[in-house]
């Protein structure tokens, strides 16, 4: 039986990967944490860093819109629609310009 994800690992995916390996850390997250917050209707549930981390890892750091690599800090986990925070409903985009210009033109830099 696996122990639940530690608070340190919950708040820091990189520490979880360092301690457990990427495959194991993601498996524990998906089994224990993701189902809890999947339907949380807050704009950013408590596990948001993990959702962004997983989508970034799956995309290998490549923006879904412009197809260029980006640093984790410069990327955004974007909802395909606002119905759920499920991983299948997210994609990774550069925060600027891809996410704001294409998805949220009302938030453009001026």
């Amino acid at each position: 039986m696996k122990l639940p994800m530690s608070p340190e690992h919950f708040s820091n995916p990189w520490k979880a990967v360092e301690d457990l390996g990427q495959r194991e850390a993601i498996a524990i997250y998906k089994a224990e944490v993701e189902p809890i917050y999947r339907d949380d209707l807050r704009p950013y549930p408590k596990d948001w860093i993990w959702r962004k981390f997983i989508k970034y890892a799956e995309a290998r750091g490549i923006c879904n819109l412009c197809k260029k690599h980006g640093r984790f800090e410069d990327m955004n986990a974007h909802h395909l629609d606002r119905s759920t925070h499920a991983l299948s409903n997210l994609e990774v985009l550069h925060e600027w310009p891809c996410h704001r210009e294409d998805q949220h033109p009302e938030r453009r830099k001026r």
Side-chain angles (χ1 to χ4, degrees):
M1 180 175 160
K2 290 182 214 170
L3 295 173
M5 183 174 275
S6 74
E8 182 181 21
H9 290 162
F10 179 78
S11 64
N12 187 341
W14 299 274
K15 178 67 173 154
V17 167
E18 179 183 312
D19 292 349
L20 306 170
Q22 184 166 323
R23 183 173 291 167
E24 183 68 11
I26 289 174
I28 292 170
Y29 166 78
K30 285 183 174 182
E32 297 179 7
V33 180
E34 195 277 336
I36 295 169
Y37 295 103
R38 180 184 304 149
D39 296 321
D40 184 335
L41 297 178
R42 288 179 282 190
Y44 298 101
K46 290 181 181 181
D47 69 330
W48 191 253
I49 190 74
W50 268 97
R51 292 178 186 281
K52 180 180 171 184
F53 176 82
I54 288 173
K55 296 312 288 187
Y56 183 83
E58 289 175 351
R60 296 192 166 119
I62 305 297
C63 175
N64 195 57
L65 189 62
C66 72
K67 308 301 185 205
K68 294 179 183 174
H69 189 269
R71 296 178 322 140
F72 182 82
E73 298 80 19
D74 298 332
M75 303 298 264
N76 182 291
H78 171 71
H79 293 88
L80 298 172
D81 66 62
R82 295 301 293 181
S83 64
T84 178
H85 295 304
L87 292 169
S88 61
N89 189 42
L90 300 174
E91 64 183 351
V92 69
L93 302 174
H94 286 103
E95 177 60 39
W96 181 259
C98 300
H99 182 247
R100 292 200 183 183
E101 280 289 325
D102 187 67
Q103 305 299 326
H104 300 285
E106 72 280 4
R107 297 188 205 163
R108 286 186 184 137
K109 287 183 179 179
R110 301 197 190 269

